[in-house]
Amino acid sequence: MAEWGSGGGSEGGGMSGIVNVRDLPVGARVVLGSGVEVEIVSNPGDGVWVFGRYLSAANGDPATVGTEEMIFAQDVVEVRG
Amino acid sequence: MSDDRTAILLLTQEIAQFLYTEAELLDERRHDEWLALLADDIRYWMPMRRNIKYGDTAREFTRETEDVSWFDEGKDTLTRRVRQLQTGIHWAEEPQSRISHMITNVQLLSVTPDEVVAKSRFLIYRNRVETETDLLVGKREDTLRRAGDGWQIARRKIILDQNVLLTKNLTFFF
Amino acid sequence: MPAIRTRGYHSGLVDLTSGLISREIFVNEEIYAQEQERVFARSWLFVGHESQIPNPGDFFSSRMGEESVIMCRDRAGAVHVFLNSCRHRGMKVCRYDDGNAAVFTCPYHGWSYGTDGALVGVPFFREAYRSELDRSKYGLIEVAQLCCYKGMVWATWDAAAPPFLEYLGEFRRFLDLILDGWDGREGQAEVLGGVQKWVIPCNWKFPAENFSGDTYHNISHRSVDLVGAGPSGRSRRDYGELNAARKLHVAIPDRGHQTITYVTPKDHVAQGAYQNSPEVAEYFRECEEQRRKRPGAISRLIGAPGEIFPNVALLPRQPRTLAVWHPVSAHQTEVWRFFFVDRDAPRAVKNFLRDYYIRYSGPAGMTEQDDMENWNYAHAASRGVVARRYPYTYEMGMGHAVENWEWEGYRMPGRVVDLTQAQASEEPMRNLYRRWAEFMDAESWDELMPWRNGAAAEAAKAAE
């Protein structure tokens, strides 16, 4: 449905601010739409999901820090390195 | 135009003419003459193709002499195939197919004093019996070796653009 | 021979008292549609081989009947077979031929499944679904039963089907011939990389009956015999090693499996085979010697074409290959051909065999090509309204099969026709179609297991 693709690669933002999660390496740090920071712990390479560990609190709950979650591609808005 | 460029253009045309002549022999069912164009040590290989993820090209083709392919053979087997056609009782070719090999996009990939590696594309149209029709399209990478005034095929790799084979048999040559 | 139960739709189409079988079963589209329910949704079907998925996460896309399935190994190492279709809106969750995956993800709405089939990823589960969806209900649809037998993966959608080995019955020793080592060690087979897949314009039952044991059709293959594509440069296989053997048709009644087979004499010494290569010939001579020393059926049997109901064709020897005749329509079949070697055979032996296999079998196979031509036009010529009035004859050798066949101490199960003199019979085909008609008529597996119900049930059936 998006009119432009991510413009190649896994660099943050691409042409239209969309991130292609397909090739994000383990250890990469990304930011979700909610502002939460996540570290990639594994990547199935399907461009739809990544497995991440919360580096900051999700949903305002500090207990989520350090826990792991499946992250949907649409939730990832920025790659921070 | 430089001498080098001219030489390449002429050689490309020479190779193309060779490939057209070869196609003519096949289409005319002059199989013994076609066999004479094959080097004694020819490898004739048509790998199968897998459906792969983007970037996973290493896994796209079945491996020569390791995996099962459509063809992976030498002159002995190719000769037996011709002999089978010539028995007149190879039912898969009774009646005989009508076939045209269209060869195009001829380009030279490398040139040495004795050998040329040429890439081309093919469209093979086969029609048999009443309405049976097949269209097979793909690429060929050929190693051609100088033989006297002409050439012989030392190696042919056939890259068919299909996964599930959409024809019932491969009783013809690529 | 007892009359087949005939009633309703299938009355008269398969008549084993006369040996006549209607062409309708091959060309009729309604019958084909019914087969998908009655035969393919209820039988045990071959999916793949464990050697294709050695590691956790490995998968191989396969088929069961018309349907796409995923055969995979989960993180704990267990093998699964799933319908390749997202539970949400149906998209295929795997469109690659094989590989390794942590999850199978649907590209339509992003639902994602683990290799154990569990639904692990649902986008916006908290927001859009308000956490109300019961994800445990929506894992990938898994087969009702699965059996890994000596590496072969078989599956069925029918929970009421008998276990695989019971389904196989006494055909098991013939399946062992393709799975066990050349020297008789159990379960040494591996599948060579690359499964041949191609389409043929005929009903799946043409190849199925051919591989059930058509010993009558050598004229089809006369051209390949003339040019000598066999592994000793003669004919299409090494017939010399079969000269001293008794050639048989063996039909396993009530199961619908049947085969050609050879029983060698008790003190048989292997004849020279694979003469095109001294190294390979010596390897096989050594293997044969080892095999003869083993106790049991394996030492006296030489494999030949056979068929496991409904659509799996076995050829354990020269070439060692298995074909699945996948139904596409009444008029089209997609063949998948697998080739086997012993996993620890020397490289030179594997190479030699692979060369032989692909010039024999498959669409580039000098032997198989002529079979397919016959199947193609036999089917085409049977589609017309007039052609369909005239059944095919399967009368060869009717009434001449024996039970309790024995020779030099070897006892063969099932109904046997000794072909040493007779050359050919159609007993295997009659066995196949009897079983086919039973499946088409039966409401459930309750009616398909006479061996469980004993003699009383047999008598009741014969009296119908």
Side-chain angles (χ1 to χ4, degrees):
Chain A
M1 263 175 54
E3 285 169 22
W4 292 287
S6 63
S10 52
E11 287 93 39
M15 284 201 295
S16 55
I18 295 176
V19 175
N20 186 350
V21 304
R22 184 185 187 266
D23 298 316
L24 287 176
V26 168
R29 293 162 68 142
V30 300
V31 182
L32 308 188
S34 56
V36 177
E37 265 197 56
V38 167
E39 179 185 335
I40 307 299
V41 299
S42 86
N43 189 340
D46 59 20
V48 180
W49 296 94
V50 287
F51 291 83
R53 173 166 49 240
Y54 288 117
L55 298 177
S56 59
N59 308 314
D61 178 3
T64 58
V65 176
T67 62
E68 291 182 11
E69 177 80 87
M70 273 180 84
I71 310 287
F72 187 49
Q74 281 179 238
D75 284 336
V76 178
V77 299
E78 187 189 331
V79 179
R80 220 165 247 184
Chain B
M1 190 179 296
S2 72
D3 283 346
D4 282 349
R5 282 196 64 192
T6 311
I8 290 292
L9 282 172
L10 286 172
L11 182 59
T12 306
Q13 186 52 234
E14 185 185 333
I15 296 296
Q17 289 298 326
F18 171 80
L19 295 176
Y20 302 155
T21 302
E22 186 211 352
E24 189 72 16
L25 292 177
L26 286 175
D27 292 349
E28 295 295 301
R29 307 182 186 115
R30 288 155 63 182
H31 293 112
D32 285 316
E33 292 171 70
W34 177 73
L35 283 175
L37 297 184
L38 311 183
D40 287 343
D41 61 342
I42 184 175
R43 291 304 304 174
Y44 181 88
W45 173 42
M46 187 157 104
M48 296 197 290
R49 302 182 73 161
R50 296 185 180 91
N51 287 300
I52 48 151
K53 293 179 77 160
Y54 176 81
D56 201 9
T57 39
R59 299 192 61 256
E60 181 167 12
F61 298 95
T62 54
R63 296 165 300 176
E64 193 175 11
T65 72
E66 292 251 7
D67 298 323
V68 169
S69 295
W70 296 122
F71 295 103
D72 189 357
E73 59 200 45
K75 192 156 184 183
D76 182 82
T77 300
L78 289 166
T79 304
R80 287 184 205 269
R81 291 185 189 279
V82 167
R83 297 289 168 255
Q84 186 181 28
L85 288 166
Q86 292 170 338
T87 61
I89 56 169
H90 181 27
W91 312 118
E93 278 295 317
E94 289 296 322
Q96 295 180 81
S97 300
R98 290 164 288 275
I99 191 161
S100 274
H101 288 69
M102 280 171 276
I103 308 299
T104 181
N105 300 50
V106 179
Q107 292 179 295
L108 303 189
L109 298 185
S110 77
V111 177
T112 65
D114 295 316
E115 282 186 357
V116 165
V117 177
K119 192 158 180 180
S120 60
R121 275 154 174 74
F122 61 84
L123 189 154
I124 297 173
Y125 172 89
R126 174 173 71 162
N127 175 276
R128 62 176 282 98
V129 195
E130 289 160 7
T131 54
E132 240 191 280
T133 304
D134 297 301
L135 268 176
L136 296 107
V137 178
K139 300 99 175 169
R140 298 184 316 191
E141 284 176 21
D142 292 337
T143 301
L144 299 160
R145 192 183 291 153
R146 287 187 195 277
D149 281 340
W151 299 89
Q152 278 195 321
I153 307 166
R155 176 179 167 74
R156 171 162 287 166
K157 176 182 176 184
I158 304 143
I159 303 157
L160 178 66
D161 293 335
Q162 287 180 358
N163 169 269
V164 173
L165 188 70
L166 300 175
T167 178
K168 72 185 181 199
N169 69 36
L170 297 169
T171 53
F172 51 91
F173 300 101
F174 286 81
Chain C
M1 185 163 330
I4 180 172
R5 277 183 304 140
T6 55
R7 58 166 188 249
Y9 193 87
H10 299 289
S11 178
L13 293 183
V14 177
D15 184 347
L16 293 168
T17 48
S18 63
L20 300 178
I21 295 178
S22 170
R23 299 187 193 218
E24 292 282 350
I25 74 169
F26 299 95
V27 301
N28 185 294
E29 285 163 12
E30 272 184 57
I31 291 179
Y32 172 85
Q34 266 203 293
E35 276 179 335
Q36 304 319 303
E37 277 285 0
R38 292 277 167 141
V39 175
F40 291 98
R42 297 204 288 208
S43 302
W44 280 90
L45 302 175
F46 173 74
V47 180
H49 193 269
E50 289 195 73
S51 61
Q52 297 176 280
I53 49 165
N55 302 309
D58 284 349
F59 66 87
F60 170 69
S61 293
S62 186
R63 284 175 69 135
M64 290 175 68
E66 293 179 330
E67 300 185 85
S68 177
V69 297
I70 305 167
M71 177 180 85
C72 64
R73 193 178 294 276
D74 71 22
R75 291 204 293 199
V79 175
H80 300 268
V81 176
F82 299 115
L83 192 67
N84 185 9
S85 178
C86 185
R87 296 299 303 277
H88 181 234
R89 213 58 88 238
M91 172 58 169
K92 282 185 171 178
V93 297
C94 180
R95 288 142 342 270
Y96 306 115
D97 289 359
D98 54 38
N100 187 288
V103 290
F104 298 108
T105 296
C106 179
Y108 195 178
H109 304 91
W111 280 32
S112 190
Y113 304 86
T115 48
D116 59 357
L119 176 60
V120 296
V122 175
F124 306 121
F125 177 72
R126 278 187 287 268
E127 302 88 338
Y129 280 100
R130 297 171 166 81
S131 304
E132 288 167 0
L133 182 78
D134 181 358
R135 286 179 287 193
S136 71
K137 279 169 50 177
Y138 291 110
L140 291 176
I141 296 160
E142 188 154 13
V143 293
Q145 300 184 59
L146 185 144
C147 176
C148 295
Y149 178 68
K150 292 187 176 176
M152 262 188 153
V153 178
W154 293 81
T156 178
W157 296 112
D158 197 328
F164 177 68
L165 289 179
E166 186 181 340
Y167 178 90
L168 201 54
E170 296 197 274
F171 194 83
R172 183 174 173 176
R173 68 186 66 189
F174 303 108
L175 183 55
D176 285 340
L177 285 175
I178 201 173
L179 295 175
D180 290 342
W182 293 116
D183 62 2
R185 280 173 301 153
E186 285 203 11
Q188 295 300 305
E190 70 176 6
V191 173
L192 285 174
V195 176
Q196 290 185 338
K197 305 170 191 173
W198 77 104
V199 291
I200 55 176
C202 63
N203 187 270
W204 66 274
K205 294 188 288 299
F206 282 100
E209 74 154 70
N210 182 291
F211 275 80
S212 288
D214 188 335
T215 55
Y216 195 40
H217 77 297
N218 272 323
I219 195 66
S220 293
H221 299 311
R222 198 158 180 79
S223 65
V224 68
D225 287 344
L226 277 168
V227 304
S232 298
R234 292 182 301 276
S235 188
R236 63 187 192 270
R237 59 166 61 93
D238 289 313
Y239 286 105
E241 63 172 2
L242 305 172
N243 278 346
R246 290 286 191 96
K247 183 175 182 182
L248 307 177
H249 268 157
V250 180
I252 307 300
D254 293 334
R255 301 306 205 279
H257 319 313
Q258 48 280 318
T259 187
I260 305 166
T261 195
Y262 295 87
V263 180
T264 57
K266 208 159 131 205
D267 297 311
H268 181 64
V269 174
Q271 313 262 338
Y274 303 95
Q275 298 283 295
N276 276 354
S277 160
E279 178 184 353
V280 176
E282 175 53 29
Y283 173 81
F284 278 100
R285 193 206 58 75
E286 173 68 34
C287 285
E288 283 296 309
E289 203 176 288
Q290 293 304 317
R291 206 160 74 99
R292 300 261 171 259
K293 291 180 189 161
R294 289 181 190 277
I298 198 88
S299 65
R300 297 276 300 275
L301 278 184
I302 295 185
E307 186 85 12
I308 295 177
F309 187 86
N311 66 337
V312 173
L314 285 183
L315 220 183
R317 193 178 181 101
Q318 298 206 357
R320 185 175 177 186
T321 176
L322 177 152
V324 192
W325 320 112
H326 294 298
V328 175
S329 75
H331 316 297
Q332 190 169 68
T333 298
E334 186 171 313
V335 187
W336 285 34
R337 229 183 220 299
F338 300 73
F339 294 96
F340 292 85
V341 289
D342 280 4
R343 56 175 168 258
D344 60 3
R347 175 93 173 192
V349 169
K350 289 187 185 181
N351 287 347
F352 181 96
L353 290 173
R354 192 194 53 252
D355 284 353
Y356 169 58
Y357 292 169
I358 67 177
R359 72 174 179 265
Y360 185 111
S361 294
M366 290 191 267
T367 309
E368 191 135 54
Q369 287 167 350
D370 292 319
D371 280 327
M372 295 188 286
E373 192 73 8
N374 287 320
W375 302 335
N376 182 169
Y377 286 100
H379 184 101
S382 299
R383 290 185 65 168
V385 295
V386 175
R388 280 186 274 157
R389 296 176 192 161
Y390 296 90
Y392 294 154
T393 157
Y394 290 83
E395 297 166 88
M396 189 190 293
M398 273 182 72
H400 293 285
V402 301
E403 289 177 341
N404 303 308
W405 184 93
E406 182 177 340
W407 183 56
E408 292 193 0
Y410 189 95
R411 295 205 57 208
M412 187 65 77
R415 296 173 55 78
V416 175
V417 180
D418 193 319
L419 299 176
T420 314
Q421 297 298 324
Q423 303 294 318
S425 90
E426 284 164 349
E427 185 73 21
M429 293 73 170
R430 293 190 290 271
N431 200 58
L432 176 75
Y433 290 118
R434 178 188 304 113
R435 193 62 171 153
W436 178 88
E438 288 171 357
F439 266 77
M440 295 298 279
D441 273 344
E443 294 301 321
S444 75
W445 264 102
D446 288 341
E447 300 169 45
L448 291 169
M449 295 184 285
W451 61 86
R452 279 192 182 182
N453 303 326
E458 290 290 325
K461 194 170 121 182
E464 270 186 41

